Amino acid sequence: MNLFAYTIIAGVMYGIFFGLVGLGLNIVFGVLKMINLAHGDFIMLGSFLAYWLYTLLGVNPLLVIPIAVATFFLVGFPLYYAFVPRLLRSKDPEMLSFILFFGASQVIEAVIIFAFGNNQRSIPSDVFGSSGFVIFGQRFPIAWLITTLVALAAFGFVYWYLRHTRMGYATRAVMANRDEAMLSGIDVNRISAFVFCMGLALAAIAGVFSFFIIGSSSPSMGPELTTVSFAIIVLGSLGNPLGTILGGLIYGVAVMFMQSYFSSWADILPYVLLIAVMLIRPEGLVGKAARSA
Amino acid sequence: MLKKIFPSLGVVLVVVAMFLGLPSIYSNQSFLFNLMLYLALAEGLNIIYGFTGYLPFGYVGFFGAGAYGSAIAVTLLHISPLWGVLWGGVAAVLIGIILIPLLRLSGAYFAIANLAASQALYYVVSNPALEKITQGPYGIDLSSVYNANAAYYALLGVLVFAMVLVAFIRNSDFGLCLLAIKEDRVTASLAGVNIVRARSIAWMLSAFVAGLCGAVFGWYSAVFYPSTVFSLDVSVFTIVFVLFGGIGTLAGPLAGALILYSMYNFIGISTPQYFQLFYGLLIIALVLFLPDGIASILRKGKVYVP
Amino acid sequence: MEVLLGVEALESGYGSIQVLWGSSLEVASNQCVVLLGVNGAGKTTLLKTIAGLLPARKGKITFKGADITGLKPNSRIAGGIGYMSELGIFPNLTVEENLKLGGYFRSEKDNRKRAGEMYEYFPDLRAYAKKMGASLSGGQRKMLGVAKTLMSHPGLVIMDEPSSGLSPKFVKKVIEVLKFLHEQEKLSMLIAEQNVSFLDFAQKIYILDKGRVSFDGDVQELKGNDTIRETYFGISR
Amino acid sequence: MSHNGKRLLKVEGLVKKFGGFRALNGVSIDVCEKRIVGLAGPNGSGKTTLINVISGVYKPDGGSVEFDGKSIYRSPSHKIVHSGVNRTFQIPRPLAGLTVWDNVRLAAVYGCCEADKREIIRKALEIVQLDGLKDFISGGLTFAQQKLLGLATALATRPRLLLVDEIAAGLSHQELDWIAQMLLRISQTGVAMIVVEHHLGFIDTLTSDVVVMNAGANLFRGSIHEAAQNEEVVEVFLGR
């Protein structure tokens, strides 16, 4: 019974973090209808930013959040304007952007290996203190709690942004129908650029805290994180950012169960989940329509 | 019609002559073997991506299935390695049949689902729980049947098969029907084309070629691990070669693989990241400036590309 | 009469397909203009090019005397062009949110007042304020589309087939509403239609045929012109 | 209503929903061998949706479709084509990267069982007078030529029933006459047709048997001249 309780609670926390992992991918998809295949690499970049700031200057990961957001907005805007408007005008934006972001993911991975070497890196999990905390008789490291809170705060922020800000309204309009949004007088390109950067920044935040949940970070972890993120947002429903948390929870609890009871088959889970959902319910668990041939 | 078959035939003959003649001039057989391997894989991927537009990110799954299919046949059923190659192709086709439902997905969704499928296959094969059959993560040892020269010529046979297949598709009604499906499914089906059947056939042919390649690769390597034959790099390299050369032609993927793999080998092998960086930038540049590959430059000059 | 919108020798299209081949038209202040044409004649392309959704390949678009040919769509909308597409609304957002987006670049206070006026014009919408656009009936959706477009106090309203998908009864109602608004708000309108019921309400009519304007004049001239009558209504008596 | 010859197509109570919207709401229509039926109605009345459902492009949600005594309800398009039904598109959709000849070749190879494919292709192109353009890339044709190519591809599958969707839209007066003559010639070779047109005058030159649809259902069936007198029909067309 102890193992069961541990599995559920750990699964929920794990799942909330993985919701954050998928969140950035989903808002970018919602606005641009493009799959950022370099999403996992941006998570990796976030983790290396945190690692670098921690080992060199001893910066606390919580303080890395504002630095990461600022950095990724600075990087994101030129990236957006260099590639995306051109892709949107091309004859097959969906496929071409997919391939282009794949190229970007290769470039990012190579550059980070040049800079840091192809090794696993980590930040000690007692950076927030070595005390633990107890839920329902189960003890967890404090770093888990902080990560979970950060992820929940990120979801709260996205909810507030979409529901209660002027730009958030505009963002939802662009998600609903790009042309119609343009005809309402919305500067669709500016909104898209902003949301694209927000997606990258959210990925980076997930990266900053990835050490405490995944354990370590390596330059080549990008593609796997992208696939997992994609599985999560398909589970939650593509293009519905807030649905991502549901996808994350299902994924988290399922992974913990597999690790507790069928550990040798746990690795295969995200892939099987992804394929199953795409074939059985491509519109996701709470969504409406997705593309199929 | 005949006018168009001759250039294709010429291309096939040149490639065959090249790989028959080169070993006596250039002694690095392993380079020639790998080059041939990517030429064949590029043509195999071309069948599904070039003619139907489905981008198989998990193409390596068939490669790995071929390597393991033949290795298991050779080690457990004691079949000769040459027949084992055929078993590898069959194993890949079986995986292909299981994955046929994925063809219902379009564009990027198909690509990601296929990637996931290849990863899932990797985790199944490398699972210690299946050690009795696949040796799990510990890899397979085929050194008892190792014969580098035989494997080299077997691969040449596979390459010829792949090229002839592509040349045939390109010049046949079946190729026309695949191109039609790629361009407009509705129009194609109103021309009487059974879309599900046609794309499934292309999918299985493409899988078969990759399976044969994987099988010969396993034979030539003598010892291999799941992480080698299911490495995402195999998909990535093949896709880059095909994109660079130009999809839907016989010569494009050959040229792409020949140029880029040679470059990779002569510059890149000591520090693969240089090449990863180079490929990444190349992909971005291709998408932005030359989405139809180098073959499209020739085509603009009104040159027929076989 | 003062020219509000001027379109001169406009050429436009999608990718390699050119749809408009030098179309010209004018809308004067306080005038209702109907652009008639069958499916595929290029009506939507013309309207989209005026709104800036498609770039003009050749020709010139002026609004209130200023050249707007190169402006981004949002600047044109903010400059006083209201546009109601065939879809007209965001089905996945609530009625209230639709209205708010209609006045996106105006102040919150202004929007609240204007939304109040819209609820006066269309009492049905008030009851559905918190409901999704998709839950409205076809006729109500068109009303919401009109209200959403009017939120920004446009000087000119462009509408793409306001009758589409409506039964004759509702088409009649839409026309009544537009007539009323035309008088009430001194609106200028450019309406693309295939439905001939809109003719009587137009002060000027253009017919678009294969991307070119093949006729311009008023209703009397149109009715007196036999070829056009036959080509566009089919039955000659 | 004239019923000469064997009933080829029988559609009853057909329903097609898009979300909550019933684009077809119980429409019925039948066509006898070698006859032409005109299908008219205002925009959005469901004419094109009906063509799309009969030809298998959309899957229906209720009712029945029988062709030559066999049900083709929810059959895939290629099977419907093989059974002898084909259609043209209002907005033509040729395989834009392929030549005119290859467009028709695809249909001749996959859509019909006769042996002499070249002859079928040649004849189809001759009927629509595109034989001079056979080596052109079809994406470069004009709108009107692409419509004719669509007709040629449909003919190359040797249909017994042809569904013609607004082929006249956007054509000039002379072109209209020419197309009408062409359709009549095709009909004389034994092909039955449903001709969808917004434009009643065009239908008038082809047949006197017309079905008028409104809001996804039947409104009227009879001769064109009766239709022009019928108050309901006049109302949906011209408004009141």
Side-chain angles (χ1 to χ4, degrees), chain A residues 163 166-167 169-170 172-174 176-191 288, chain C residues 48 51 53 72-74 77-78 83 85 87-90 92-93 97 100-106 148:
Chain A
R163 293 282 157 174
R166 212 171 91 92
M167 276 186 83
Y169 269 108
R172 283 167 59 209
V174 178
N177 186 329
R178 213 176 164 80
D179 274 2
E180 200 60 40
M182 236 184 253
L183 293 172
S184 304
I186 294 168
D187 188 342
V188 169
N189 237 342
R190 224 189 66 206
I191 299 279
K288 279 200 207 78
Chain C
K48 280 188 172 172
L53 250 53
K72 290 206 284 182
N74 53 305
I77 305 293
Y83 193 106
S85 68
L87 175 67
I89 60 166
F90 295 101
N92 299 329
L93 302 181
E97 287 166 344
K100 216 163 165 178
L101 283 165
Y104 176 65
F105 46 79
R106 303 186 77 91
K148 171 176 165 273

Side-chain angles (χ1 to χ4, degrees), chain A residues 15 70 82 95-96 184 200:
Chain A
M95 233 23 232
L96 287 178
S184 304
L200 300 192

